[in-house]
Amino acid sequence: MNVHMIPHEHAHEEEDWTFDKGVDAYLFPIYNGTYFVDFHRTGDESHEGVFFKHRHTDFNNGRFAFYDDDRITEAHVRKGIIHELTDHFEQQA
């Protein structure tokens, strides 16, 4: 899990953030280990989490954070699709 400490005086400087505020989101399996991110629960979702959209895009690009085996996992989202649920951000550390 990555924890980022932000000084209180910078906590409201939104221009420094590269993501919008997180929103509830759900993953729906498509095929071959890929998932579609949607914002409406139907009962068919495989994962529940929070989607953080990149601010500088018109598409649903960003990060999807969810619990996996009692730890927070983050996956890349590109145009509303996750191509694998590997925690890419932990691998970069």
Side-chain angles (χ1 to χ4, degrees):
M1 169 174 36
N2 294 331
V3 176
H4 301 277
M5 302 301 285
I6 300 168
H8 186 298
E9 60 271 10
H10 296 290
H12 299 290
E13 294 182 14
E14 293 185 15
E15 64 273 4
D16 292 339
W17 296 89
T18 58
F19 296 98
D20 286 339
K21 191 175 189 179
V23 296
D24 292 339
Y26 307 92
L27 296 187
F28 296 88
I30 303 173
Y31 62 92
N32 293 333
T34 60
Y35 297 84
F36 176 72
V37 177
D38 199 358
F39 306 100
H40 304 284
R41 175 178 240 156
T42 66
D44 294 327
E45 63 276 350
S46 62
H47 296 79
E48 178 179 351
V50 179
F51 175 66
F52 299 91
K53 182 180 176 188
H54 279 291
R55 285 188 167 209
H56 307 290
T57 182
D58 291 333
F59 303 103
N60 282 335
N61 296 330
R63 295 180 182 179
F64 180 80
F66 62 101
Y67 277 103
D68 184 30
D69 294 327
D70 296 328
R71 68 184 192 96
I72 296 174
T73 301
E74 295 181 43
H76 285 287
V77 179
R78 185 164 185 226
K79 294 186 179 177
I81 304 293
I82 293 177
H83 293 281
E84 60 181 324
L85 289 180
T86 306
D87 192 345
H88 294 282
F89 303 99
E90 183 174 279
Q91 291 176 357
Q92 295 174 358

